[in-house]
């Protein structure tokens, strides 16, 4: 990491941008990647390393580790750890090191298996699927988002409460996320900060849903693309005029020293 010489002004105000993936760098739908904007982010990361005049962009996402690893490669983050699966994993693209949160025990993993099996038998028949690639969380999807939100979400919440399973249930635009209650994007970022030695003053963040409040609380500057939920825009210092990856590029341009 570049450090200013003693007595000189820092080259950049922030060392790291912690960005959500879905709804920010990529669409939460299955739309193709906005390669033009992502190439701009990649060039930005290359210049961050070459010139030290701007922060490095890394990720904090609910997506499984393989998806986050791919996005790291796409945006040229080769040096900073990222947070995947809502804090379950940190992944360091520099050393290729994966680390599951050590606070996740075998009994937590058993509860994940029980919840997954229950959801499959209860909702599999009506077309609810589980996002593949998750190790310590369960993510449910259904083509009818209204049904997912109004019918399935309350049933999942009720079953978790009655079973005493240790999960927090939340809704993104199109998914129900069941995450271990003590693991979050926030606990993932805390582990990332321990690994990098960075403090809040040196961090910026980008997010689009209320789940990204965990990012907003841990950074000195937080911004949203224009498509973000109203509930997270309240926490932003800046809201881009453009949505998703175009909005991210607009935000990143403001952070150049
Ligand atoms: Mg998102």
């Amino acid at each position: 990491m570049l450090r200013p010489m003693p007595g000189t002004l820092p080259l950049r105000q922030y060392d790291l941008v912690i960005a959500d993936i879905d709804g920010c760098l990529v669409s939460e739908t299955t739309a193709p990647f906005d390669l033009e904007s992502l190439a701009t982010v990649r060039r930005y990361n290359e210049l961050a390393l070459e010139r030290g005049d701007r922060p490095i962009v890394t990720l904090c996402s609910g997506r499984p580790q393989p998806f986050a690893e791919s996005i790291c490669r796409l945006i040229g983050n080769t040096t900073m750890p990222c947070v995947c699966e809502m804090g379950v994993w940190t992944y360091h693209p520099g050393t290729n090191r994966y680390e599951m949160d050590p606070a996740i025990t075998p009994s937590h993993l058993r509860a994940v298996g029980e919840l997954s099996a229950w959801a499959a038998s209860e909702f599999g028949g009506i077309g609810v699927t589980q996002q593949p690639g998750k190790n310590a969380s369960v993510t449910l999807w259904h083509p009818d988002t209204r049904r997912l939100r109004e019918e399935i979400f309350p049933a999942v919440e009720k079953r978790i409460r009655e079973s005493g399973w240790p999960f927090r249930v939340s809704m993104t635009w199109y998914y129900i996320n069941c995450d271990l209650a003590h693991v979050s994007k926030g606990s993932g970022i805390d582990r990332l900060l321990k690994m990098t030695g960075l403090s809040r003053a040196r961090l910026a963040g980008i997010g689009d849903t209320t789940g990204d409040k965990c990012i907003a609380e841990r950074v000195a500057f937080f911004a949203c693309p224009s498509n973000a939920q109203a509930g997270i825009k309240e926490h932003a210092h800046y809201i881009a005029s453009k949505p998703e990856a175009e909005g991210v590029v607009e935000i990143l341009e403001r952070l150049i020293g």
Side-chain angles (χ1 to χ4, degrees):
M1 171 134 319
L2 287 167
R3 293 280 176 213
M5 295 289 288
T8 63
L9 287 170
L11 286 168
R12 55 189 176 196
Q13 189 171 2
Y14 305 107
D15 291 317
L16 197 62
V17 180
I18 301 174
D20 174 45
I21 299 179
D22 280 323
C24 292
L25 285 160
V26 312
S27 170
E28 199 176 293
T29 68
T30 55
F33 288 151
D34 173 1
L35 283 181
E36 199 179 320
S37 297
L38 292 171
T40 306
V41 178
R42 185 193 183 118
R43 184 68 188 138
Y44 190 94
N45 267 339
E46 287 165 358
L47 290 172
L49 291 178
E50 276 172 41
R51 298 181 183 168
D53 64 344
R54 63 196 71 196
I56 293 168
V57 183
T58 190
L59 310 169
C60 178
S61 173
R63 287 282 193 162
Q65 185 278 337
F67 191 82
E69 179 179 339
S70 305
I71 301 294
C72 277
R73 291 186 186 208
L74 194 59
I75 64 168
N77 170 29
T78 56
T79 56
M80 288 304 233
C82 67
V83 175
C84 337
E85 200 182 329
M86 214 62 91
V88 169
W89 294 98
T90 50
Y91 171 66
H92 198 310
T95 56
N96 203 34
R97 183 181 161 87
Y98 321 85
E99 189 181 75
M100 184 179 277
D101 189 329
I104 299 172
T105 65
S107 89
H108 293 130
L109 295 174
R110 267 195 302 280
V112 172
E114 286 168 15
L115 169 61
S116 171
W118 171 78
S121 71
E122 190 75 9
F123 304 119
I126 58 166
V128 173
T129 55
Q130 300 187 25
Q131 192 177 85
K134 297 222 163 174
N135 298 110
S137 60
V138 177
T139 294
L140 306 174
W141 183 86
H142 189 275
D144 182 346
T145 304
R146 190 200 53 76
R147 194 170 178 194
L148 192 71
R149 184 181 294 275
E150 291 175 11
E151 180 187 326
I152 298 157
F153 183 85
V156 171
E157 262 192 326
K158 181 166 177 277
R159 177 63 197 234
I160 286 174
R161 205 170 44 243
E162 287 170 357
S163 304
W165 286 328
F167 293 98
R168 173 184 69 249
V169 193
S170 61
M171 207 52 236
T172 65
W173 294 106
Y174 302 116
Y175 295 93
I176 297 171
N177 285 329
C178 308
D179 299 291
L180 288 167
H182 65 303
V183 177
S184 65
K185 285 187 172 181
S187 65
I189 294 174
D190 292 342
R191 292 199 296 129
L192 181 153
L193 297 186
K194 244 182 229 166
M195 291 164 132
T196 57
L198 293 172
S199 64
R200 178 193 169 110
R202 305 298 302 168
L203 302 176
I206 300 173
D208 72 310
T209 59
T210 50
D212 297 320
K213 218 176 132 209
C214 291
I215 301 178
E217 286 164 356
R218 285 166 176 80
V219 298
F221 176 86
F222 182 75
C224 299
S226 66
N227 55 293
Q229 290 175 342
I232 190 69
K233 282 180 174 169
E234 284 170 22
H235 300 275
H237 301 100
Y238 178 71
I239 297 163
S241 65
K242 293 176 186 154
E244 297 178 348
E246 282 184 291
V248 171
V249 167
E250 186 184 325
I251 293 161
L252 293 179
E253 277 162 4
R254 292 178 60 92
L255 301 178
I256 299 173

